[in-house]
Each structure stands twice: as C-alpha cells, then as structure tokens.
Amino acid sequence: MDLQILELFSGIGGMHYAFKESQIPGQILAAMDINTIANEVYIYNNRQTNVLNNNVQKLDVKILKKLQINCILMSPPCQPHTRLGHRKDIEDNRSHGLMHICSLLPECKFVHYILMENVKGFEESLAHSMYIEALKKGGFYYREFILSPTQLNIPNTRYRYYCMARRDKNFSFQGERIWYSFPIIKEQKKCINTIMDILESNDLVCRDFLVDEKTLDRRVLVMDIVTFNSINTMCFTKAYTHYIEGTGSVFCPLKPEAMHQIFEKLAYLDKDNSSKENKLVQRRELLQSLRLRYFTPREVARLMCFPETFDFPLKISNRQKYRLLGNSVNVKLVSELIKLLYL
C-alpha cells in the first residue's frame, strides 16, 4: 500500500523531506498549518503540494475522507509541554489542535499509519494520555520513542518524543515501553559527522553573524562553544540568537588549544591588579580574538538534515528563519522512523 499522506502542523515541511528521504512509495497529498510564514516557505520549496492555510480544528472526518489519505504525519505545537511555555498541557490553547485530532481518530477507519513528533516531556502529559487513548479507540497499535540525531552520528543533540501507530500489530519490536534508541536501523547513507561538514564558506558568512561585543562581555561563559572538529551541538531552538543560554551552540574558528589559551588569559586577567580601564581594553581584545559567531540558517538547516535544495524566500529574515527551523524536525531521524512505520 502506497502512503497517501496528510501533513498536519506542517511548518516548513520537515516531515515532507523526511518522507522523501525515506524513499517509501507514496505522496504528500496535502499539508496544513496556521502559520502563514511557514506556509510560504513550504510552498516556495514544494509548489506541487496542496498547502492549506488553516487551523486543524476546522477538519472533520468528512474532509479527511475526501482527501483520500491513509497516513498522517504531524508535529503539534510543543510549547504546552515546555518550561518556557509554562507546561500548561491541555489548558494551553495550543493543545486544542491535537485534542481535536484525538476526537477524530476513532472515526478515521481509512487512516492506516500515523507518525507524531513532539518535545521530550510530552510523554508525561495529560495530552499524551488522551492521544494514546484515542489511538487505542481507533484500533491502532503504537510504539513510542525518545530519540536524538546524535544516535545517527549527526552532531546535534535534539531529543524528541515520537509515536508511530498503524493498524497492523506485527511490529518487529516490542511495545509497552518507550524506546530510547533505534530498535532497527536500515543501511544508511553517509551522515554528517563533525561541524566541519556543515560549515559555509567564510566568504559567505558576513559580519552579521558575529556575536556582538555586549553579548560576549556578559554571556561568554555560558555559551556552548564548538569548533571544526566538534561532534556535537546543542539543540537549536526558535530563540537562537535572541537569547544565548540554552538555545543553541556558537562557532569558534580557532583550534581548540588556541581557544583555551584565550580563556586562560581571560581568567588570569580577572586576577590581575592592573587598572580597571586597562583590564577592560585587554578583555575586549581577547574576546574579539575568539571570533565567535552564530551558525547561519543554512548551517542549522544542514544539522537538521534538510537538503541543499531547501531554501527560504528572500523576504524571510534571519530571525524568522531561526524560529521556523527551531520548530521543525530532524529530517534524517524522522525518515528512519517512517521506514520503521511502513516496513
């Protein structure tokens, strides 16, 4: 059976690219999101897909049946289950879309496959309990995971909750537990292994991506700094470049030993008895010599395994690009799950 897919909460099309990467037979029949900017990016890259700019709460069984789908790929809003979102769970208005889907699933006998992604922590929520109950009522068998791209040797930590469901109960691995690693991985294409593999040419990286002097002075000690040979980065969130701590890594083009020497000099400078004005000048020079910069949107997209053909319309700002990427999925990891779901 070829997959006839509806992509819900589709964003910039991460699930779309994951399906393409999986090489499973089928097609994306339609995608739906309420975010108009995300939809513009989706259409810009996938003009052949019917992108519906609408709230998923407008869906009903009749509409879903008319679309002639047999598979749903979805990534509902994660904010109701995050610290920054105050973990309001189903009391958060942004949970209403998923709750509406839960109400429809028991009647959707024509849907045979579902893959859902959300933030780590969703598995402890009331929304999770309601979703699992809806799957059971709908006659689905399911498997749950908490996985990170690092398990595929991709240098980016991004733990996420995943749930695959289908009407065939003959999974080749057991349920009744959450999997924290891939139970089966098919032969893969070569993945990126170090930061060097995703960097843009220095000629293409303008001064706009350098960490500004004020941020360096105040926040350098809480930054997650990586170099050419680093094999991991922090999870990039939609607040990247807007906030420093916990939103993603920054890049230092120096060799690790040279970078460490600069930090040793900074530590020594704090103990120096020279004049305050002289210390400020030296500190500023040392911080600038680190040449720290943010990863560009293209580099973040590469870490998330979007293909080189993926791009943004010219009018989309870098701030918007980071927000959209932060809300998306790792394409390679999801493609492996689609294979597990189907095969």
Side-chain angles (χ1 to χ4, degrees):
M1 176 191 296
D2 288 4
L3 297 186
Q4 305 299 316
I5 298 169
L6 171 62
E7 190 179 356
L8 296 177
F9 313 98
S10 50
I12 57 177
M15 291 279 192
H16 184 118
Y17 283 111
F19 172 65
K20 283 186 175 179
E21 171 82 12
S22 74
Q23 298 186 332
I24 297 299
Q27 60 182 323
I28 307 280
L29 295 179
M32 179 179 285
D33 203 296
I34 200 170
N35 186 322
T36 55
I37 298 174
N39 288 339
E40 286 182 43
V41 177
Y42 194 120
I43 294 168
Y44 184 78
N45 289 281
N46 301 285
R47 298 187 184 280
Q48 75 283 3
T49 302
N50 180 22
V51 179
L52 307 171
N53 197 109
N54 214 332
N55 191 322
V56 298
Q57 289 172 252
K58 299 288 180 69
L59 289 172
D60 58 31
V61 176
K62 188 179 295 185
I63 293 172
L64 291 173
K65 197 167 187 177
K66 189 175 180 180
L67 288 171
Q68 296 185 309
I69 63 167
N70 61 20
C71 176
I72 295 174
L73 305 178
M74 60 178 170
S75 182
C78 64
Q79 292 88 344
H81 315 292
T82 65
R83 178 177 56 83
L84 290 177
H86 306 294
R87 294 193 175 95
K88 292 184 178 180
D89 202 351
I90 62 172
E91 294 180 6
D92 192 311
N93 290 341
R94 290 166 292 192
S95 280
H96 293 175
L98 178 59
M99 295 302 95
H100 180 67
I101 298 301
C102 287
S103 71
L104 299 179
L105 285 180
E107 301 178 61
C108 294
K109 304 302 182 185
F110 47 88
V111 175
H112 292 265
Y113 300 93
I114 305 173
L115 178 63
M116 192 268 275
E117 179 264 3
N118 212 290
V119 71
K120 182 182 177 183
F122 174 82
E123 72 281 3
E124 300 173 350
S125 68
L126 185 55
H128 168 266
S129 299
M130 294 175 70
Y131 180 66
I132 296 300
E133 184 62 26
L135 290 176
K136 290 177 179 178
K137 283 184 178 179
F140 289 96
Y141 300 90
Y142 64 92
R143 297 291 185 268
E144 299 178 279
F145 308 81
I146 292 177
L147 302 170
S148 171
T150 49
Q151 295 166 329
L152 297 177
N153 297 321
I154 298 165
N156 181 229
T157 295
R158 191 180 182 85
Y159 281 101
R160 288 293 185 269
Y161 168 88
Y162 301 92
C163 181
M164 62 172 64
R166 68 188 191 199
R167 298 200 177 276
D168 176 10
K169 66 180 179 180
N170 295 317
F171 285 95
S172 57
F173 53 99
Q174 70 184 58
E176 305 304 322
R177 56 166 284 189
I178 293 180
W179 288 82
Y180 289 86
S181 61
F182 281 92
I184 306 167
I185 295 184
K186 300 293 180 182
E187 187 176 348
Q188 301 174 45
K189 298 176 184 176
K190 182 180 182 297
C191 288
I192 50 177
N193 294 311
T194 67
I195 301 305
M196 189 182 300
D197 297 323
I198 60 97
L199 293 176
E200 292 198 80
S201 164
N202 286 334
D203 296 336
L204 298 176
V205 181
C206 66
R207 295 182 61 85
D208 292 346
F209 294 101
L210 290 175
V211 179
D212 65 89
E213 187 176 299
K214 184 178 178 180
T215 301
L216 277 174
D217 186 51
R218 293 182 177 182
R219 311 296 289 169
V220 70
L221 294 181
V222 298
M223 292 177 182
D224 183 65
I225 303 171
V226 298
T227 61
F228 286 102
N229 294 322
S230 296
I231 57 173
N232 199 8
T233 51
M234 287 183 66
C235 177
F236 290 88
T237 75
K238 67 178 186 178
Y240 186 58
T241 74
H242 189 63
Y243 297 108
I244 289 296
E245 193 171 1
T247 65
S249 303
V250 295
F251 175 68
C252 178
L254 305 179
K255 292 183 177 179
E257 53 269 28
M259 181 181 72
H260 293 316
Q261 286 175 5
I262 292 173
F263 275 104
E264 287 173 1
K265 290 178 181 178
L266 284 167
Y268 177 79
L269 191 61
D270 289 337
K271 302 173 185 177
D272 194 359
N273 293 323
S274 58
S275 70
K276 184 176 180 180
E277 183 178 343
N278 186 47
K279 287 170 69 173
L280 286 174
V281 172
Q282 291 183 64
R283 178 179 170 82
R284 187 178 301 118
E285 290 175 349
L286 285 169
L287 288 173
Q288 290 177 345
S289 69
L290 287 168
R291 293 155 53 198
L292 297 184
R293 70 165 178 86
Y294 298 106
F295 285 92
T296 69
R298 169 61 66 188
E299 291 166 343
V300 176
R302 286 172 178 166
L303 279 170
M304 296 178 72
C305 300
F306 278 78
E308 290 299 297
T309 54
F310 171 80
D311 208 350
F312 292 93
L314 289 176
K315 70 176 183 178
I316 305 295
S317 68
N318 284 331
R319 178 81 182 106
Q320 289 171 320
K321 292 175 184 178
Y322 289 127
R323 288 182 67 85
L324 294 166
L325 287 164
N327 282 330
S328 194
V329 300
N330 185 281
V331 169
K332 179 61 179 173
L333 191 154
V334 174
S335 75
E336 294 296 325
L337 289 176
I338 291 173
K339 293 176 190 176
L340 281 179
L341 173 66
Y342 182 78
L343 300 176

